[in-house]
């Protein structure tokens, strides 16, 4: 089994790191994993995305036309990628910044106001981890404990951000464990 | 005129790709204003560098060539030699001009090539993600000087205006900055003077502009302005380093 | 063997060099490989190594020359235009028979091109971008793990042949993260270089000066030097040609030759096609020079095989070597993209199916 | 003479340089995001503006135009 | 047609450019071609042209870029290491689709090597020394007269394809004197470049800026640009492949493929062998890219032909193209020297006879 | 000692390939004498240039590398960085150092690389047959300036010592000549001082030596000496341009 | 018919120019001609040589193992090339500087003290033209008038050398028209 | 002390620099060619030599050696 998760948003929203934490968690659980960034020209304010591939067998093509899931942190990302997600996949929408819909009925759309949640926690910079928490809680693609451990590892040396992000993770989880707004 | 303010004709409508608060945008505008005012857009050729300004050609409304990293002065030489009637300027960052392109700028200046060199010194490699430049300040942290620039190991930052002024061939060489309106006004005057020397076919002209890179300095644009004024300008002193009239070189700041 | 860690290809390349026993690095920033320098700028000081950001790629190639000539293990990394600027230096290194390791994390060209993955420097690497009769030993990894291992193997290979080795990765190899471990057994001791390196007479207890040079004004001596080089390249062919066969025991109708990231896409395509009962075999060259000539010829000769195709992120470069090896036995096709987009497995399937 | 001070919301990247440079403290950063995801500047206290053009001179994105009322751009 | 004058190859090359209508020259001294610059340093001022000795070969390549981008006819000359330093520039020129003419009077390599005649830059010229998917149109003269004519033809060809053309001569072509004349009909007008050159909007009565660049950040655009280049290279193959057959109507047992000075030695050897009733045919490529693929294949296919041999002043470079074209039809051999000594006809006769 | 005179140990027995009266030979000998006197032959590495001195390695009795044209400073950097215990010097001509190798020498000097640069300025490209160099005098005839160097067209000759002295990093920079015994003795002192700074790991050291090329100047050796003294030394003034003690730079000729 | 003449001596003896004048004369007479210099590394004081090939048909190989004739201006040249000259060829020896013999009996050896003759004429620099005059007078490889014309052309712009070299040419001729010292 | 002034005929290229530099006008260029084709310098008036070593210091070809009589080279 192989699944691919696409994280996408503005540059600066912590998209790449978000994917990295998920990839790390998958590795910890013994999966094969590949993390692929967009590394467009250093044009500021562009869109950034990354793809995390998780599998039980060695991973062949790192190029995927149809990812299993999408975490869309801003509107252009949703517009660009919503249509390519595989049927039955998850599409997580950052409803704080995105007012439109995924335009798909064959996928599991979850809207979570991750930016607002993060703002309430103290910093919009934690929005990515809110989204990650929400996505993993819904997809169960990795164990939540493993994920928590990996978030801890990621931030343990950035002291002022550790508890913020651990909280963000839990808040993300909570957000999808409540009936998601549809 | 007086107090009204509008986009110059030599500037295109395109929004730039630069980060918020990046002074590349200010410099583009000044160049465009000068070209409008001196009226040579129809025979102007700009040369875009390899650096954050690699797409500069999108933001102007006249002919452009896009250079290889550091080689803009050689290209400008090629153009001016075969077409002295074109007005040519290069636009280069500090990595581009002071590192890989050192040979080309020194020789173009020394031959007295009749083009104008706009040198954007932001003390860092912007485009590639903030590596150390030859102009990075002592102690400044960059992605390749993670413990701060160690002058024992890699020497002092290079002062390009002073270095070029040490050559014997007549030239106009000045250093300005664009971090605040008062400086911007002076910078524009310097750019205008540089192009005027070219229009008169007098000499090579070089305008160093101390600039900001908020993104790679890890500062807000306003902080970047402050750091420039307090730190960079102490080392990179503003002024005229050489004029074709004063062949001797040396500082005679105005 | 250590624990598997998740690393970007570029960082793994930097770490692999250290683990291989190379603590000297000179480089100049360029996307998509600047992370190697960024990583080493803090890692090398930790281990007492030498990190220097040079003023240009031209200078890099000669810092490498100087250091290698003085007997040190040394390496650099760059990307396509940067490698072009090292052409003269590479020719000098080969001519002077100096061991050193180069990594090219290729981006789209020609010219400034783009910064996305490409394999368009195949010719440059395998046919010698510089002047004169020389070759680089060229390795092409298809994963971060393989990139790390190839870097580690590159140093003893460079020393075995006293010839530069280049590792040719596309941008994705540098940019993606995969789990990687650095096998302890690939850590090697630099070979003794007292016979030829300019490492100071007193340190090797000798009164005979050593001389590192590529100048041979006498035509007979120059010819001699070129014959020595040629003999080394022939030896590489017999001793150090590497390739991975894939699905080669099946009764394949089509043989793919592909390397690096592109070969992974082909593997996925081959797996899918197999599910559809369409057998396709692949030879993945791991060394591009020496090219697995015999393997490709043999694989093409298989009775079931109707066509051969070279699939590359370029406009058709390796295909010439494939044609050369297949010797007219089977039609040789080419498919590729070279703007930075990597074709999907679906596209590869379509192309392969169209051949028969 | 009467002047008009216009900030092109979509050109503005919200860098705030005009805000700090304005001698009359006229400008502020909005909390409404623009199409590119930036929070643009706006004249919070237009009545204090003396049309000194300092903000125009400073703006790296040529986002600010000041024109004489009645005289539209000629270009 | 003028009178025949005795000229050194290097001087004839300089004069030919002027006669062809190219008055702009940027270069850097290097043996064995410095006489081109020395000649033009007094000739160009006479005709109101531009002569500039640059600070380096890297700078030369970009002066050429700037001048060509501004719409001027322009050329340079250099020798092997100098050409390596122009690799990046050549890639940029091809990427930006600029016409310009380069001359490489090859010397022995790799590295500093020697200064005597060599053909060891075949790979560099034909496979693209720089990075990315591009080719140069490569011409190889075998006499001073042919060198002059090829220079004259190179300018319109460069303009036809908007691609750099390189003339590959060995050191002897530059150094020897032969009678030469400069055919008037080869004088051409530069093509109009208003569509793309940065020659100043007001001079072309346009309000649309022109842009000369090789940067294509969008992968689709870069791919597009590469497809345009590829199409040009295919067109060169059909429209501008040049070669000279020699003794090809005889029932030859051996086919030689050889170019430049080496091919003249082969001609003498073929003549001698013919006297001894041993027939040998030859294809002499005059363009190395595009390579006369079909001609070589056809010539190799001749029933009487038992073996093919590539004879070059290198350690075996063109032989790979010959192998590729012959497609396994006949055994393909190689013979060469590459220190600066040119083999004698006697040696060639011996080698050829040993093949059958 | 006193008045006896013999070939230094660091010099080999080989006869040089230089033209009669060429001062390359004098410079070789001075270097060899200094190495003997300071006693570091066993850990010395020389770097031969591309230029008439390309075969310099034949004339010394210690380790040598042969450089590519202009790149000796990069090679020296490579050697010193990995082997700071070796004593390294480069030997470069004016074409090599001041033309194609401008970028490398400036950056090595600016980083303060701890090697010694011997710069042989003979105002011409010797090896390739007398083309114009960046240091060719105004009006001087060469094979590529057949009407004399035209400074309007190609600028003034480059003064390397002054140019390098304009950098901020501490260094020892001096210009000497070797055309007569009185100068030769001073030149040797300068070379010795340069190597001493390296032995003490203090700084980059640079010794420019104004030299002759009778062959390409079309003069007898004696005429070449006279022309150097009367013409070259007027432009290329002898003296110390920078010492690590006087970080400011500028001329303080001794 | 093709013949090849090798001129050899010290650098500075005017070897290359000597060959060039002969090549020029051959061209004037309508022959095919190739002039090939030695262009060794710019090492001063080495030996220089050049080869002039004259033929009625287009010239193939510019590389010749056995030249028809040799003009040896110094001893190393004679030592190096005497043995390769074709049978029945001419070997001209500058007896002012060369004390040894050609060591061949199957060739036409002419000894001419060209350096001394030139010195008497006013400058050793004309030794090459003395040798050329002697060689052509003996070999008749080109007409002497044509040769005289070509020497004239070569030196017409170097005024002070014109008459010197015209004299040198004649003296060379005279030297072989007298019974050569054997 | 007595000194010996030796010119290595085959190293000498006859450049004449020693001749012009000698303060005592001791040296001259010979008219006998050496093995490399040069006319070497020699002490025409050895009795005038003051062993000042100027000629040694000047000679680009290290062709001149001065040694103390009786003490041969140590190297
Ligand atoms: C030959 C070559 N080397 C390296 C690069 C990568 N590169 C692109 S931009 C850049 C540095 C730009 O820095 P600077 O000139 O200071 O401009 P800024 O972005 O700061 O304005 C580098 C090293 C390249 N494109 N080509
Ligand atoms: C890349 C390259 N370009 C050019 C040359 C040719 N070349 C050899 S020596 C030389 C100039 C030497 O002049 P200079 O450095 O002044 O030394 P000199 O011979 O005068 O001592 C040149 C251009 C070369 N070998 N390599
Ligand atoms: S990275 Fe720096 S220089 Fe580049 S656009 Fe951003 S702020 Fe400007
Ligand atoms: S014009 Fe002057 S006063 Fe008005 S907003 Fe701008 S800076 Fe402030
Ligand atoms: S300076 Fe310009 S871009 Fe910055 S906030 Fe003000 S209007 Fe916006
Ligand atoms: S050419 Fe000039 S620099 Fe070279 S050896 Fe002769 S005199 Fe010396
Ligand atoms: S030692 Fe002095 S006096 Fe004697 S020959 Fe030499 S220079 Fe003249
Ligand atoms: S200086 Fe030396 S080489 Fe010159 S003439 Fe005197 S001894 Fe001979
Ligand atoms: Mg910068
Ligand atoms: Mg010189």
């Amino acid at each position: 089994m192989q699944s691919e998760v696409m994280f996408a948003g503005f540059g600066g929203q912590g998209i790449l790191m978000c994917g990295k934490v998920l990839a790390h968690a998958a590795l910890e659980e013994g999966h094969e994993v590949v993390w692929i960034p967009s590394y467009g020209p250093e044009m500021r304010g562009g869109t950034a995305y990354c793809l995390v591939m998780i599998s039980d067998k060695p991973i062949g093509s790192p190029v995927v036309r149809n990812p299993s899931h999408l975490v869309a942190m801003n509107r252009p990302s949703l517009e660009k990628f919503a249509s390519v997600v595989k049927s039955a996949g998850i599409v997580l929408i950052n409803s704080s910044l995105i007012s439109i819909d995924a335009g798909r009925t064959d996928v599991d759309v979850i809207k979570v106001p991750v930016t607002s949640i993060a703002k309430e926690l103290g910093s919009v910079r934690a929005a990515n981890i809110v989204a990650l928490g929400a996505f993993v809680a819904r997809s169960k693609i990795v164990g939540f404990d493993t994920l928590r451990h990996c978030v801890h590892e990621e931030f343990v040396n950035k002291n002022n951000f550790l508890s913020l992000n651990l909280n963000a993770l839990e808040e993300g989880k909570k957000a999808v464990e409540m009936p998601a707004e549809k | 005129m007086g107090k009204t303010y509008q986009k110059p004709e030599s500037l295109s409508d395109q929004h730039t790709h630069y980060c918020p608060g990046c002074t590349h945008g200010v410099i583009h505008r000044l160049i465009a204003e000068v070209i409008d005012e001196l009226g040579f857009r129809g025979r102007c050729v700009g040369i875009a560098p390899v650096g954050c300004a690699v797409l500069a050609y999108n933001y102007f409304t006249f002919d452009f060539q896009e250079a290889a990293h550091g080689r803009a002065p050689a290209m400008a030489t090629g153009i001016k030699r075969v077409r002295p009637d074109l007005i040519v300027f290069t636009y280069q960052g500090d990595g581009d001009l002071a590192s890989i392109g050192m040979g080309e700028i020194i020789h173009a200046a020394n031959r007295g090539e009749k083009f104008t060199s706009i040198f954007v010194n932001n003390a860092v490699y912007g485009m590639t993600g903030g590596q150390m430049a030859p102009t990075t300040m002592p102690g400044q942290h960059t992605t390749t000087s993670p413990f701060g620039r160690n002058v024992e190991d890699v020497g002092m930052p290079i002062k390009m205006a002073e270095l070029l002024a040490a050559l014997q061939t007549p030239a106009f060489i000045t250093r300005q900055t664009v971090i605040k309106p008062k400086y911007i006004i002076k910078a524009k005057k310097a750019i205008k003077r540089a192009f005027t020397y070219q229009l008169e076919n007098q000499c090579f002209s070089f305008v160093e502009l101390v600039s900001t890179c908020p993104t790679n300095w890890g500062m807000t644009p306003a902080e970047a302005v402050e750091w420039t004024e307090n730190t960079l300008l102490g080392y990179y002193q503003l002024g005229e380093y050489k004029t074709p009239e004063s062949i001797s070189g040396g500082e005679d700041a105005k | 063997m250590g624990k598997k860690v998740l690393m970007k290809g570029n960082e793994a390349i930097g770490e692999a060099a250290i683990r291989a026993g190379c603590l000297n690095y000179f480089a100049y920033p360029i996307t998509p490989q600047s992370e190697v320098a960024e990583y080493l700028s803090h890692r090398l000081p930790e281990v007492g190594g030498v990190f220097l950001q040079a003023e240009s790629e031209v200078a890099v190639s000669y810092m490498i020359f100087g250091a290698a000539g003085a007997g040190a293990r040394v390496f650099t990394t760059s990307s396509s235009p940067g490698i072009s600027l090292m052409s003269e230096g590479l020719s000098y290194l080969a001519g002077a028979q100096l061991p050193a390791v180069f990594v090219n994390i290729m981006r789209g060209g020609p010219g400034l091109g783009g910064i996305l993955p490409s394999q368009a420097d195949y010719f440059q690497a395998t046919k010698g971008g510089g002047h004169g009769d020389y070759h680089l030993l060229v390795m092409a990894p298809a994963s971060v793990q393989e990139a790390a291992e190839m870097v580690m193997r590159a140093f003893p290979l460079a020393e075995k042949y006293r010839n530069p080795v280049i590792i040719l990765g596309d941008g994705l190899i540098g940019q993606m993260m995969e789990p990687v471990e650095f096998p302890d057994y690939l850590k090697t001791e630099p070979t003794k270089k007292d016979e030829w390196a300019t490492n100071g007479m007193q340190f090797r207890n000798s009164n005979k000066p050593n001389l590192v040079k590529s100048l041979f004004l006498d035509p007979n001596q120059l010819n001699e030097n070129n014959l020595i080089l040629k003999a080394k390249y022939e030896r590489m062919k017999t001793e150090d040609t590497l390739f991975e066969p894939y699905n080669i025991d099946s009764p394949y109708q089509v043989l793919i030759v592909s390397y690096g990231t592109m070969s992974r896409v082909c593997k996925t395509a081959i797996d899918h096609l197999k599910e559809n009962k369409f057998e396709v075999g692949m030879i993945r060259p791991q060394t591009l020079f020496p090219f697995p000539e015999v393997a490709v010829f043999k694989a093409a000769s298989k009775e079931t095989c109707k066509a051969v195709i070279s699939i590359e992120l370029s406009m058709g470069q390796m295909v010439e070597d494939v044609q050369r090896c297949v010797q007219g036995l089977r039609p040789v096709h080419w498919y590729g993209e070279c703007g930075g987009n990597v074709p999907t497995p679906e596209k590869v399937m379509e192309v392969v199916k169209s051949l028969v | 003479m009467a002047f008009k001070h216009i900030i092109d919301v979509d050109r503005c990247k919200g860098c705030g340089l005009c805000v700090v440079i304005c001698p009359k403290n006229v400008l502020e950063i909005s909390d409404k995001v623009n199409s590119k995801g930036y929070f643009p500047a706006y004249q919070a206290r237009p009545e204090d503006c003396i049309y000194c053009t300092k903000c125009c001179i400073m703006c790296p994105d040529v986002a600010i135009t000041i024109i004489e009322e009645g005289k539209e751009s000629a270009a």
Side-chain angles (χ1 to χ4, degrees), chain A, chain B, chain C, chain D:
Chain A
M1 246 297 285
Q2 177 173 311
S3 14
E4 306 91 12
V5 189
M6 170 80 92
F7 294 87
F10 284 132
Q13 283 185 312
I15 299 297
L16 301 188
M17 191 246 274
C18 192
K20 193 181 138 199
V21 174
L22 176 61
H24 186 192
L27 173 64
E28 288 285 312
E29 296 192 345
H31 300 292
E32 296 285 339
V33 57
V34 181
W35 170 97
I36 298 159
S38 67
Y39 66 102
E42 269 75 0
M43 287 204 271
R44 316 300 164 186
T47 42
Y49 59 86
C50 75
L51 183 76
V52 177
M53 307 176 67
I54 301 174
S55 175
D56 302 328
K57 300 184 308 177
I59 293 171
S61 174
V63 177
V64 170
R65 190 194 277 168
N66 304 107
S68 319
H69 312 289
L70 170 66
V71 175
M73 296 290 284
N74 69 359
R75 182 169 166 162
S77 308
L78 184 67
E79 288 172 346
K80 189 162 173 196
F81 297 115
S83 63
V84 297
V85 174
K86 281 202 191 97
S87 272
I90 293 169
V91 174
L92 189 150
I93 296 179
N94 174 3
S95 57
S96 311
L97 298 184
I98 309 175
S99 50
I100 59 163
D101 232 308
R104 293 272 302 261
T105 53
D106 59 338
V107 293
D108 177 12
V109 179
I110 353 175
K111 294 185 180 175
V112 184
V114 297
T115 307
S116 321
I117 293 174
K119 205 181 260 174
E120 273 164 40
L121 289 171
S123 165
V124 291
R125 295 182 59 186
N128 56 345
I129 301 296
V130 176
L132 182 62
F135 172 72
V136 170
R138 179 67 144 247
S139 65
K140 307 207 163 42
I141 195 162
V142 292
F144 211 85
D145 289 342
T146 319
L147 186 67
R148 195 179 288 116
H149 166 77
C150 292
V151 170
H152 191 275
E153 292 239 315
E154 183 69 31
F155 291 98
V156 71
N157 292 323
K158 302 166 192 154
N159 243 322
N160 358 14
F161 293 107
L162 180 58
S163 64
L164 170 69
N165 281 292
L166 285 173
N167 289 342
L169 195 69
E170 302 304 329
E171 289 304 315
K173 182 160 179 262
K174 272 190 217 149
V176 292
E177 283 171 353
M178 291 184 277
E181 27 163 342
K182 280 241 169 167
Chain B
M1 292 287 289
K3 284 179 160 180
T4 70
Y5 201 93
Q6 294 178 34
K7 184 186 78 54
E9 202 190 346
S10 292
L11 218 54
S12 80
D13 278 331
Q14 287 226 16
H15 296 192
T16 71
H17 67 285
Y18 302 117
C19 306
C22 173
T23 44
H24 272 304
V26 177
I27 299 168
H28 285 19
R29 198 190 61 224
L30 297 186
I31 293 171
E33 287 175 5
V34 166
I35 294 173
D36 279 12
E37 289 167 24
L38 297 175
F40 60 82
R41 189 168 72 95
R43 56 188 180 117
C44 186
V45 182
I47 302 184
V50 170
C52 276
V54 71
L55 296 172
Y57 51 74
N58 284 330
Y59 311 135
F60 293 96
T61 57
F62 45 82
D63 288 355
F64 247 88
Q65 295 194 11
E66 202 284 314
H69 194 32
R71 316 306 175 192
M75 285 169 54
T77 298
I79 303 173
K80 280 298 276 196
R81 291 275 168 164
V82 302
R83 287 292 308 276
D85 53 341
L86 296 174
I87 303 300
V88 177
F89 72 92
T90 56
Y91 186 106
Q92 298 189 260
D94 43 338
D96 200 55
L97 181 139
S99 189
I100 191 170
M102 178 63 86
E104 283 76 11
I105 190 65
I106 293 212
H107 281 282
N110 191 67
R111 283 190 305 263
E113 299 294 343
K114 309 287 185 295
F115 66 85
T116 300
S117 168
I118 306 288
F119 171 45
V120 181
N121 178 1
N122 60 9
V124 81
Y125 284 49
M127 187 192 209
T128 40
Q131 293 83 9
M132 188 180 71
T135 50
T136 293
M137 290 297 285
Q140 187 183 335
H141 292 249
T142 72
T143 54
T144 52
S145 61
F147 314 110
R149 182 193 185 119
N150 176 0
V151 297
E152 292 301 314
D153 190 46
V154 298
M156 295 290 286
I158 296 184
K159 300 182 175 184
M160 280 310 303
E162 287 86 332
L163 189 63
L164 293 179
L167 296 167
Q168 313 303 309
T169 308
F172 173 62
I173 295 172
T174 179
R175 182 183 291 121
Q176 304 294 335
T177 185
V178 289
I179 51 168
K180 292 187 175 170
K182 61 175 178 182
Y183 298 116
I184 295 175
I185 290 164
K186 277 198 181 175
K188 180 171 166 188
K189 280 201 188 121
I191 293 171
K192 195 159 185 174
R193 191 159 157 206
F195 276 111
T196 305
Y197 283 120
Q198 183 178 172
L199 285 161
E200 293 166 353
N201 204 32
Q202 271 217 44
C203 62
F204 171 76
S205 51
F206 181 84
V207 183
E208 173 167 344
L209 295 163
V210 181
S211 302
T212 67
C213 178
T215 301
N216 286 302
W217 296 356
M219 298 179 190
T220 66
E223 286 165 0
V225 164
E226 287 316 305
W227 189 73
T228 303
E229 197 158 35
N230 298 332
T231 306
L232 285 182
L233 295 190
Y235 189 78
Y236 297 114
Q237 291 183 354
L238 306 184
E240 272 165 25
Y241 286 87
K242 189 170 197 160
T243 62
E245 295 79 26
S246 73
I247 196 173
S248 63
E251 192 153 348
D252 63 342
K254 270 199 187 167
Chain C
M1 293 251 182
K3 183 170 169 284
K4 281 200 180 186
V5 286
L6 195 63
M7 276 183 115
K8 243 192 165 178
N10 283 333
E11 297 183 348
I13 285 166
E15 184 63 29
I18 293 178
R19 301 293 182 100
C22 173
L23 300 185
N24 303 303
Y25 177 77
F26 300 87
Y28 189 77
I30 185 169
T31 309
Q33 64 75 51
S34 297
E35 295 88 350
V36 186
E38 294 175 1
Y39 181 81
L40 290 173
S41 69
H42 60 83
R43 266 296 272 151
L44 278 171
E46 273 173 32
V47 296
V50 171
F51 170 86
L52 185 67
Q53 181 177 320
E55 63 269 33
S56 73
E57 289 90 349
V58 172
V60 166
S61 65
Y62 290 104
M63 290 177 185
I64 298 281
F65 188 109
R73 271 200 176 167
V74 60
F75 89 118
T76 189
T77 59
S78 187
S79 180
S80 312
I83 298 289
S84 289
L85 289 172
M86 299 182 189
S87 305
E88 192 205 27
L90 285 164
S91 174
Y92 267 78
L93 279 157
Q97 300 199 57
L98 294 181
V101 174
F102 288 70
V103 178
N104 178 0
I105 299 298
M106 293 177 280
R107 50 191 252 174
L112 192 49
I115 59 173
L116 293 172
S118 163
Q119 298 180 325
D121 302 348
Y122 178 93
F123 273 152
Q124 185 186 47
T126 60
K127 308 299 177 196
H131 59 286
D133 282 291
Y134 76 94
H135 280 286
L136 307 174
L137 197 161
V138 188
M139 307 176 97
S143 68
V144 173
Q145 179 64 38
E146 195 174 33
E149 290 185 19
M150 282 181 174
V151 168
M152 296 183 79
R153 284 179 214 277
F155 293 98
L157 276 173
E159 287 163 9
K160 172 177 175 186
Y161 292 109
R162 286 182 57 191
N163 199 75
V165 173
I166 192 166
I167 294 175
L168 214 56
D170 53 76
L172 265 175
I173 297 290
Q175 290 297 321
M176 70 187 177
M177 282 203 233
E178 288 189 307
V180 59
E181 57 190 340
F182 303 95
D184 285 338
Y185 65 87
L186 289 181
K187 177 169 174 57
T188 49
E189 281 299 314
T191 54
K192 246 181 119 50
K193 290 156 186 163
D194 281 356
E195 260 174 50
W196 54 265
T198 64
N199 54 0
M201 295 189 295
Q202 77 187 44
F203 300 104
R204 57 179 188 269
N205 290 317
S206 160
N207 232 321
K208 200 187 107 331
N210 279 341
L211 174 58
V212 166
K213 62 152 186 168
S214 64
L215 175 70
F216 298 92
L217 287 173
D218 176 330
N220 298 319
Q221 282 178 21
L222 180 54
N223 202 45
E224 178 66 24
N225 195 52
N226 274 315
L227 287 169
I228 291 171
L229 301 189
K230 191 176 170 72
K232 294 197 299 190
Y233 304 135
E234 293 304 328
R235 186 168 162 219
M236 286 179 194
K237 286 185 193 174
T238 52
E239 295 179 17
D240 287 289
T241 303
L242 288 174
F243 62 93
E244 182 200 13
Y246 194 75
N247 199 34
I248 215 76
D249 296 328
S250 73
Y252 51 87
Q253 293 184 269
V254 175
L255 175 71
I256 293 177
V257 184
S258 189
Y259 68 100
T261 295
M262 191 64 234
S263 70
R264 288 174 68 156
V265 178
C266 292
K267 275 190 190 177
T268 299
I270 291 172
D271 292 351
H272 288 334
L273 287 168
K274 198 181 189 82
E275 287 164 18
N276 299 335
K277 306 270 174 288
F278 188 106
E279 294 289 357
V280 175
M282 178 164 77
I283 297 287
R284 171 171 80 90
Q286 289 165 300
T287 53
L288 302 179
F289 184 92
F291 191 74
E293 300 178 354
V294 180
V296 168
F297 178 77
K298 279 200 190 148
S301 328
K302 184 156 190 164
E303 255 166 80
T304 54
C305 178
K306 300 275 175 309
V308 179
I309 183 165
S310 175
I311 304 189
E312 343 166 20
L313 298 176
S314 88
M315 278 297 160
Q317 300 193 7
M318 182 172 66
V319 64
E320 291 200 1
D321 275 330
V322 176
Q323 281 169 342
R324 193 166 53 81
C325 299
V326 170
Q327 294 182 36
L329 215 60
R330 303 279 180 266
V332 175
H333 302 268
W334 161 83
Y335 167 66
E337 289 268 341
C338 66
N341 285 330
V342 179
T344 57
E346 291 76 12
K347 179 71 195 171
V348 170
M349 288 162 67
E350 185 190 316
V351 169
V352 167
K353 278 196 282 190
S354 77
L355 298 182
V356 283
Chain D
M1 261 187 291
F3 293 95
K4 209 162 120 190
H5 185 285
I6 311 157
I7 301 187
D8 181 335
V9 173
D10 283 326
R11 282 194 88 94
C12 174
K13 292 178 183 153
C15 71
L17 288 178
C18 56
V19 177
V20 296
I21 221 69
C22 173
K24 294 293 166 189
N25 198 21
V26 173
L27 302 160
E28 271 180 26
I29 293 295
S30 151
D31 54 9
K32 280 229 302 269
V33 78
N34 72 5
S35 68
K36 280 186 298 190
Y38 296 122
F39 298 88
Y42 72 107
Q43 282 204 314
R45 285 161 291 279
E47 60 283 5
D48 293 350
C49 181
I50 56 171
Y51 304 103
C52 67
T53 75
K54 283 214 168 129
C55 52
C56 315
I57 293 171
M58 190 67 244
C59 177
D61 287 281
V62 206
I64 312 180
T65 306
I66 295 181
I67 49 168
E68 233 182 291
E69 205 80 75
K71 274 201 194 172
E72 279 298 319
S73 160

